[in-house]
C-alpha cells in the first residue's frame, strides 16, 4: 500500500495538481483583460497636500484607521490565519525528511528547517485547524455560510499534518500512519485546485492583479464580462 | 409582493442570464473561503445585532450561489426569499470589504437583475415588496412619486416605539 501511495498515486496527484493549477491560472487570465483606464486613481504620498490637522489629531486618525481595519477588528483571527498559512507551507517545502526524498529521487537540494521547528509549526497548524473548526461550528455568522465543502477542505488540510505528526513521534502504528500521511497528502494535492482550498490561487490573483479599491498590486486587470 | 406574483418562473431565461457571466461569477463564488470577515463591513449587519442574514457573503451565497447551484430551476417562493436578501437586507452601498478581493456588490447587482426579469424587485430603498405593507399611508406613490420623508420617519418611529 505504501509503495502505491508514494509511487503511482503520488505521480498522479502531482500531475493533477500542476495541471489544475495551470488550468485555474489560464482560466483567470481568460476571464479578465488588461484595462486601459485607471479605475481607482491613487495619490502618491509625495503629491498629497500637507495635513491641516494637528499631530495629536493625526495620531488619533491613525488609531481609528487601525481599529477599523480587519486586523484591528479581528486580531485573533488575522494573526491565527497568518500563522496557520505560514506554517502550512514551510514544513512541506523545507522539512528534512521531505528534502531527503526529493534529493534521492530528483537530486534537488532545498534548505531544511530544524525538526524541532517543523514540529512546532505542525502543532500550530493543528491548533489553527481546531480554531477554524470551532469557529465554523460555534460562531453563528461563520456557521451560516459553512457548507460541507468548507468542512471538507479544512479536514483535508489538517489530515496530512496530523498523520505526519503521529508518524514522526510514532504515537500510533508507524507504517500505517506513514501510509495515511502520504495518502492524505496525495488527496490534498488533487483537491487543491478544484476545492475551497483553491483560494491560494484566487487570493493572489484577485488582490495583486485585479484593479479595485483594495488592490495590493498594480491592479491592471478587469473582468471581461 | 410582486407585479407578476401569479406568473410562473422562467428557468430558461434565468439560465440564459446566469450563463452570460458564468465564468466570472462561479469563480468568485468558489474564491469565497467563508471566512466571514466581510460581515463587519456591512453597516446593516451591525445595525441588526450581527444577524448573519445581513452578512454580505451570506446574501450572495443564498441568492446568486443558489441560482447557479440549482441552474435556474427555482420556485417563486425561492425568488421571494432572495428578494428579501437582495433588497431588504442590502442597500447596495458598495462598502462591503472582502479580504480576497471579491466584488460582492457586483454579484448582488447581477442577482437583482436576474430577479427583475421574473417580476421581482425592491420598490423602496431599504425595503422590499409592497411599500404599503411597510409604511401604510406614508407609502410612496405607485406612479413613482416622491414619498413624504417626514411621514415615513414618523411612521417608522411609531412602529419601533410600539415594538411592532
Amino acid at each position: 500500500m505504501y509503495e502505491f501511495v508514494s509511487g503511482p498515486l503520488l505521480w498522479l496527484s502531482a500531475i493533477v495538481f500542476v495541471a489544475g493549477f495551470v488550468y485555474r491560472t489560464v482560466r483567470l487570465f481568460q476571464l479578465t483583460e488588461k484595462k486601459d483606464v485607471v479605475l481607482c486613481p491613487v495619490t502618491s504620498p509625495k503629491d498629497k497636500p500637507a495635513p491641516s490637522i494637528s499631530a495629536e489629531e493625526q495620531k488619533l486618525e491613525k488609531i481609528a484607521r487601525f481599529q477599523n481595519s480587519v486586523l484591528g477588528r479581528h486580531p485573533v483571527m488575522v494573526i491565527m490565519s497568518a500563522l496557520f498559512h505560514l506554517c502550512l507551507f514551510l514544513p512541506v517545502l523545507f522539512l528534512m525528511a521531505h528534502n531527503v526524498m526529493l534529493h534521492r529521487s530528483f537530486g534537488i537540494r532545498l534548505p531544511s528547517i530544524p525538526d524541532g521547528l517543523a514540529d512546532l509549526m505542525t502543532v500550530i497548524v493543528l491548533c489553527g485547524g481546531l480554531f477554524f473548526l470551532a469557529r465554523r461550528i460555534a460562531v453563528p455568522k461563520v456557521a451560516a455560510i459553512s457548507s460541507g465543502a468548507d468542512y471538507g477542505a479544512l479536514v483535508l488540510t489538517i489530515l496530512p499534518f496530523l498523520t505526519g505528526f503521529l508518524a514522526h513521534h510514532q504515537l500510533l502504528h508507524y507504517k500505517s500512519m506513514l501510509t495515511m500521511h502520504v495518502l492524505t497528502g496525495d488527496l490534498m494535492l488533487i483537491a487543491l485546485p478544484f476545492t475551497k482550498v483553491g483560494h491560494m490561487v484566487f487570493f493572489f490573483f484577485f488582490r495583486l492583479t485585479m484593479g479595485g479599491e483594495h488592490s495590493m498590486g498594480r491592479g491592471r486587470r478587469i473582468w471581461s464580462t | 409582493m410582486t407585479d407578476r406574483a401569479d406568473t410562473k418562473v422562467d428557468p430558461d431565461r434565468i439560465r440564459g442570464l446566469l450563463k452570460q457571466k458564468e465564468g466570472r461569477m462561479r469563480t468568485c463564488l468558489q474564491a469565497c473561503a467563508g471566512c466571514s470577515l466581510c460581515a463587519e463591513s456591512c453597516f446593516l449587519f451591525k445595525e441588526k445585532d450581527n444577524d448573519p442574514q445581513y452578512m454580505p457573503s451570506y446574501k450572495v451565497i443564498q441568492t446568486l450561489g443558489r441560482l447557479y447551484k440549482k441552474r435556474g430551476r427555482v420556485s417563486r417562493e425561492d425568488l421571494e426569499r432572495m428578494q428579501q436578501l437582495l433588497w431588504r437586507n442590502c442597500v447596495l452601498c458598495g462598502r462591503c470589504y472582502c479580504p480576497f478581493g471579491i466584488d460582492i456588490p457586483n454579484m448582488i447587482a447581477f442577482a437583482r437583475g436576474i430577479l427583475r426579469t421574473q417580476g421581482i424587485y425592491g420598490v423602496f430603498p431599504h425595503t422590499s415588496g409592497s411599500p404599503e405593507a411597510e409604511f401604510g399611508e406614508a407609502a410612496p406613490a405607485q406612479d413613482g412619486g416622491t414619498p413624504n420623508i417626514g411621514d415615513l420617519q414618523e411612521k417608522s418611529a411609531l412602529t419601533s416605539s410600539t415594538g411592532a
Side-chain angles (χ1 to χ4, degrees):
Chain A
M1 181 69 174
Y2 177 77
E3 285 69 30
F4 172 70
V5 295
S6 60
L9 191 60
L10 180 57
W11 273 108
L12 179 72
S13 315
I15 292 167
V16 171
F17 169 70
V18 173
F21 202 91
V22 170
Y23 166 76
R24 277 272 172 237
T25 311
V26 170
R27 189 83 187 105
L28 283 169
F29 276 95
Q30 280 176 342
L31 289 167
T32 57
E33 60 194 18
K34 251 190 176 175
K35 69 182 182 198
D36 49 7
V37 289
V38 178
L39 290 178
C40 298
V42 177
T43 313
S44 152
K46 287 179 202 166
D47 303 332
K48 278 187 180 170
S52 57
I53 52 176
S54 70
E56 183 67 20
E57 284 171 326
Q58 281 182 51
K59 196 177 161 188
L60 286 173
E61 196 183 299
K62 274 184 186 170
I63 292 170
R65 202 181 288 269
F66 172 77
Q67 283 174 340
N68 281 321
S69 70
V70 178
L71 178 60
R73 284 193 181 252
H74 305 280
V76 177
M77 170 66 180
V78 173
I79 292 167
M80 192 51 131
S81 189
L83 271 176
F84 177 80
H85 286 91
L86 189 73
C87 296
L88 268 182
F89 279 95
L90 291 180
V92 176
L93 292 174
F94 304 119
L95 185 77
M96 181 84 81
H98 291 174
N99 286 343
V100 168
M101 284 194 289
L102 263 181
H103 182 59
R104 278 190 192 156
S105 305
F106 304 106
I108 300 169
R109 278 182 190 275
L110 286 176
S112 296
I113 54 172
D115 275 358
L117 180 61
D119 236 21
L120 176 68
M121 288 181 164
T122 306
V123 172
I124 291 173
V125 169
L126 295 177
C127 291
L130 272 179
F131 169 76
F132 290 127
L133 191 63
R135 195 173 170 270
R136 219 166 255 299
I137 295 167
V139 180
K141 63 175 182 174
V142 195
I145 52 166
S146 295
S147 63
D150 295 298
Y151 287 106
L154 189 55
V155 170
L156 209 58
T157 311
I158 300 305
L159 277 181
F161 286 85
L162 180 65
T163 50
F165 186 79
L166 292 173
H168 179 68
H169 292 281
Q170 306 198 6
L171 295 172
L172 292 174
H173 187 248
Y174 174 71
K175 194 76 182 173
S176 305
M177 279 303 111
L178 193 64
T179 307
M180 284 300 290
H181 175 62
V182 183
L183 177 66
T184 50
D186 291 348
L187 292 176
M188 170 79 183
L189 277 178
I190 293 171
L192 220 149
F194 307 107
T195 62
K196 286 280 183 184
V197 199
H199 66 253
M200 72 173 270
V201 185
F202 297 129
F203 176 79
F204 293 106
F205 188 86
F206 281 18
R207 292 307 299 266
L208 298 178
T209 65
M210 295 298 287
E213 190 182 354
H214 304 295
S215 183
M216 294 194 296
R218 296 179 72 182
R220 297 183 68 177
R221 297 189 77 80
I222 54 168
W223 292 100
S224 302
T225 53
Chain B
M1 292 285 277
T2 61
D3 275 4
R4 291 190 281 169
D6 53 339
T7 58
K8 282 188 176 173
V9 176
D10 183 353
D12 289 336
R13 181 130 192 238
I14 295 177
R15 215 162 23 244
L17 289 163
L18 290 172
K19 197 91 183 157
Q20 285 176 9
K21 290 190 176 190
E22 185 157 20
R24 170 183 181 172
M25 293 301 165
R26 277 195 187 274
T27 302
C28 290
L29 285 164
Q30 199 170 10
C32 174
C35 65
S36 82
L37 291 179
C38 56
E40 278 78 10
S41 67
C42 177
F43 75 91
L44 281 172
F45 175 80
K46 300 297 292 175
E47 175 66 22
K48 301 289 179 181
D49 296 327
N50 299 348
D51 182 346
Q53 290 198 30
Y54 288 85
M55 188 164 56
S57 51
Y58 182 88
K59 293 176 228 177
V60 168
I61 292 167
Q62 292 298 327
T63 55
L64 195 60
R66 202 167 164 78
L67 286 172
Y68 273 111
K69 199 172 180 180
K70 298 199 128 192
R71 295 174 194 278
R73 284 189 291 269
V74 285
S75 64
R76 183 152 288 276
E77 288 71 36
D78 287 334
L79 293 179
E80 281 169 359
R81 270 194 296 275
M82 290 178 196
Q83 177 193 36
Q84 300 294 311
L85 294 171
L86 292 170
W87 276 281
R88 189 196 65 186
N89 293 15
C90 177
V91 296
L92 213 56
C93 66
R95 295 312 303 159
C96 35
Y97 169 79
C98 169
F100 287 85
I102 299 168
D103 188 350
I104 300 170
N106 188 285
M107 297 171 85
I108 289 183
F110 181 55
R112 280 186 176 189
I114 292 170
L115 261 64
R116 283 194 193 100
T117 66
Q118 304 303 308
I120 290 179
Y121 43 84
V123 291
F124 188 76
H126 194 207
T127 182
S128 64
S130 160
E132 290 89 347
E134 195 84 10
F135 295 105
E137 289 172 5
Q142 283 299 298
D143 59 2
T146 311
N148 184 334
I149 299 299
D151 288 349
L152 291 177
Q153 285 171 341
E154 197 180 324
K155 178 78 181 174
S156 182
L158 188 68
T159 45
S160 59
S161 66
T162 53

